[in-house]
Amino acid sequence: HTHDPDGVLHLENMNPRKNPKALTLGYFFNDVWEKKFNSNCIFDYCNGNLRMFVNGKESKEFENYSMKDGDDILIEFA
């Protein structure tokens, strides 16, 4: 969840082995926010040039990416 418009996500999965899906970006966007997010879409924006960077390196994991404490995640749609 989020508290402020600062872009920081707060994960409160106390037992990641019991529910590892709850650590993924897909879980956050699709299940928590109820917004579409996958390799083709972010929210209502689909079929454009969607790119994701994690800690400055491009990632193709999109909804399957398991977030880690301190990650800097940038999602671009053009």
Side-chain angles (χ1 to χ4, degrees):
H1 67 271
T2 59
H3 290 283
D4 301 305
D6 60 6
V8 175
L9 304 181
H10 299 270
L11 303 175
E12 295 180 6
N13 184 0
M14 302 308 286
N15 190 347
R17 281 188 243 166
K18 186 175 181 181
N19 189 8
K21 180 186 174 205
L23 296 175
T24 65
L25 274 176
Y27 181 84
F28 179 77
F29 282 112
N30 299 319
D31 297 310
V32 175
W33 273 11
E34 298 179 343
K35 300 292 183 182
K36 191 182 310 182
F37 178 65
N38 57 46
S39 61
N40 294 313
C41 297
I42 184 156
F43 302 165
D44 293 328
Y45 302 98
C46 296
N47 302 320
N49 184 19
L50 186 65
R51 297 174 72 195
M52 183 174 87
F53 298 85
V54 178
N55 302 319
K57 296 181 181 176
E58 191 163 10
S59 172
K60 299 290 185 188
E61 292 185 68
F62 297 101
E63 73 271 20
N64 298 313
Y65 181 74
S66 292
M67 298 178 280
K68 295 161 193 66
D69 191 31
D71 275 347
D72 182 17
I73 300 170
L74 172 67
I75 300 168
E76 294 180 340
F77 182 87

